[in-house]
Amino acid sequence: MRRLMLLLIPVLVLLAGPVLAQGGTTVTAATDWAAAFNPIARQLRDPRIGDEEFATLRQELDRLRVAATTERDRFRQAAGAAQSQLDALGAPPAEGRESPAVAESRRRLTAQVQTLQDNAKQAELALAQIVALHDEVEEGARRQFTRQLSYRGPAPFLPTFWRNGLDDIGELAGRLAAD
């Protein structure tokens, strides 16, 4: 349960990120992907991880993939809108011939486009990291499955195996008769 809570914290951070007002366009701030990935990477290093935890990690990575894709697309769309506004201003005129208000708008829009493009690239990088983490989860699950397959338990051909089983059946029959 504690591990599940640790995995849900980054999702809540993703959904409740602060909002930045940029040039009349409201865009959610970029996600701190390292904070979202750290609990997953920490859990992958745990040698006691089981099938249920691997399934939980897969689900968490799927949620993060959706969030990163959504964030990347949102930043790309906002960058396109800001670039359109910048393009509407046209090419900058010769030095000193542009009004201060237009020059300030050009500077602000240029910075906004750069920030939005950088945030989209960070989300794209997060997608690559999610794929790498997903591969690690799959590899860990395969290793665990292989260990479980190659586990050598009691051989059914040994007389002690059957003797213990018959003893258990006799004990169960005795309890059922007593009830």
Side-chain angles (χ1 to χ4, degrees):
M1 183 59 135
R2 183 175 184 268
R3 288 181 180 167
L4 181 61
M5 292 303 292
L6 286 174
L7 291 174
L8 290 178
I9 290 172
V11 172
L12 294 175
V13 170
L14 290 174
L15 297 175
V19 174
L20 296 175
Q22 299 178 349
T25 306
T26 303
V27 178
T28 305
T31 302
D32 181 5
W33 293 107
F37 297 148
N38 284 341
I40 295 170
R42 191 171 30 257
Q43 191 168 2
L44 276 172
R45 289 189 300 265
D46 185 357
R48 299 167 298 174
I49 190 169
D51 291 336
E52 187 176 307
E53 287 87 1
F54 280 123
T56 302
L57 288 175
R58 283 186 200 102
Q59 290 173 351
E60 179 64 21
L61 287 169
D62 288 342
R63 279 193 291 273
L64 287 173
R65 181 176 316 174
V66 168
T69 302
T70 302
E71 184 171 299
R72 179 201 59 200
D73 295 345
R74 189 176 61 242
F75 281 126
R76 283 182 179 171
Q77 183 179 14
Q83 184 65 48
S84 295
Q85 292 175 10
L86 186 60
D87 293 344
L89 292 177
E95 278 300 313
R97 303 188 110 195
E98 190 169 49
S99 76
V102 173
E104 175 57 28
S105 293
R106 184 181 309 282
R107 186 200 60 72
R108 183 183 47 76
L109 285 169
T110 301
Q112 183 180 8
V113 167
Q114 186 61 48
T115 300
L116 291 168
Q117 288 174 344
D118 290 348
N119 289 343
K121 289 175 186 174
Q122 287 297 318
E124 191 69 40
L125 176 63
L127 283 168
Q129 291 171 325
I130 289 168
V131 168
L133 282 170
H134 195 275
D135 290 346
E136 284 184 50
V137 168
E138 292 303 318
E139 179 59 31
R142 269 192 296 280
R143 278 193 313 267
Q144 179 178 348
F145 182 71
T146 302
R147 276 193 309 268
Q148 289 171 343
L149 279 179
S150 62
Y151 171 73
R152 219 173 144 156
F157 304 112
L158 295 176
T160 56
F161 177 81
W162 291 103
R163 185 174 36 240
N164 292 339
L166 291 174
D167 291 344
D168 290 343
I169 291 172
E171 183 182 317
L172 178 63
R175 276 193 262 151
L176 288 174
D179 288 338

